[in-house]
Amino acid sequence: MKNETLLPDLTNVVTALRQQQVIAYPTEAVFGLGCDPDSESAVQALLKLKQRPWQKGLILVAAHYAQLTDYIDDSALDNAARERMFACWPGPVTWVVPARPTTPRWLTGQYASLAVRVSAFEPVRRLCLAFGKPLVSTSANLTGLPPARTAGEVREQLGAAFPVLDQAVEGRRNPSEIRDALSGELIRQG
């Protein structure tokens, strides 16, 4: 893809995010569906599209740790937990961290924690920086279908007009590893 097409594409998806729409964007392994984590209506639209129960909770992806501190309880992390997290970040490891009491239930689901990741993948970082905050991140696919690995597959499943950051995924085979920040315990193999 030519570099001159990247800026308008990024501008279009950021505009869609600010209009509380759900967008698709490339991640380390598959395309993700994302939206403004502070918009209950956007998150509800994403959950409806995915047919995902709210109780499962969601992942937030960010360009840097500071984008996550409004959502997670940093004071609940000891030095060992922070060192574990920062040793893997930025990178394809998602950590489950205690949530702030003010973090919306539409993000945490039935849990008192929130799954968060600081990505090293440049398209994700640029998108979060341009939007000015983290994004909800879940695989871009309809229930029962495989996660989309290309913008074309996103459009096949979600429609030609669906807002997509049309760039390639990084190429990892598996979605991000998920670990508990307090214990370091593996929750999902990456």
Side-chain angles (χ1 to χ4, degrees), residues 115-143:
V116 294
R117 180 170 83 251
V118 174
S119 181
F121 186 46
E122 201 53 38
V124 172
R125 293 176 56 77
R126 276 196 309 268
L127 181 56
C128 291
L129 289 170
F131 187 48
K133 61 170 113 172
L135 296 174
V136 168
S137 186
T138 186
S139 61
N141 61 295
L142 299 175
T143 301

Side-chain angles (χ1 to χ4, degrees), residues 22-186:
V22 178
I23 62 134
Y25 58 97
T27 70
E28 294 86 353
V30 298
F31 267 76
L33 288 179
C35 66
D36 182 343
D38 297 319
S39 169
E40 184 175 9
S41 64
V43 172
Q44 293 303 328
L46 182 146
L47 293 172
K48 183 178 179 183
L49 180 65
K50 285 278 294 185
Q51 299 176 356
R52 180 183 171 95
W54 72 270
Q55 292 91 341
K56 289 177 103 176
L58 293 162
I59 295 173
L60 294 187
V61 65
H64 50 77
Y65 186 71
Q67 287 189 326
L68 299 170
T69 56
D70 286 345
Y71 306 92
I72 59 172
D73 183 1
D74 183 71
S75 69
L77 300 173
D78 61 18
N79 286 338
R82 275 193 205 86
E83 285 175 18
R84 272 193 299 272
M85 288 170 43
F86 295 151
C88 299
W89 279 353
V93 178
T94 297
W95 292 93
V96 177
V97 180
R100 286 180 173 264
T102 54
T103 300
R105 300 287 288 169
W106 64 76
L107 296 176
T108 61
Q110 65 183 345
Y111 305 102
S113 57
L114 184 63
V116 294
R117 180 170 83 251
V118 174
S119 181
F121 186 46
E122 201 53 38
V124 172
R125 293 176 56 77
R126 276 196 309 268
L127 181 56
C128 291
L129 289 170
F131 187 48
K133 61 170 113 172
L135 296 174
V136 168
S137 186
T138 186
S139 61
N141 61 295
L142 299 175
T143 301
L145 294 177
R149 291 189 183 267
T150 67
E153 290 176 4
V154 170
R155 290 183 179 106
E156 284 174 18
Q157 290 190 40
L158 303 175
F162 198 85
V164 179
L165 182 59
D166 194 346
Q167 295 181 35
V169 298
E170 186 176 46
R172 295 181 59 86
R173 300 299 314 150
N174 299 315
S176 65
E177 177 177 293
I178 300 177
R179 292 189 168 271
D180 182 281
L182 298 181
S183 69
E185 179 185 326
L186 181 68

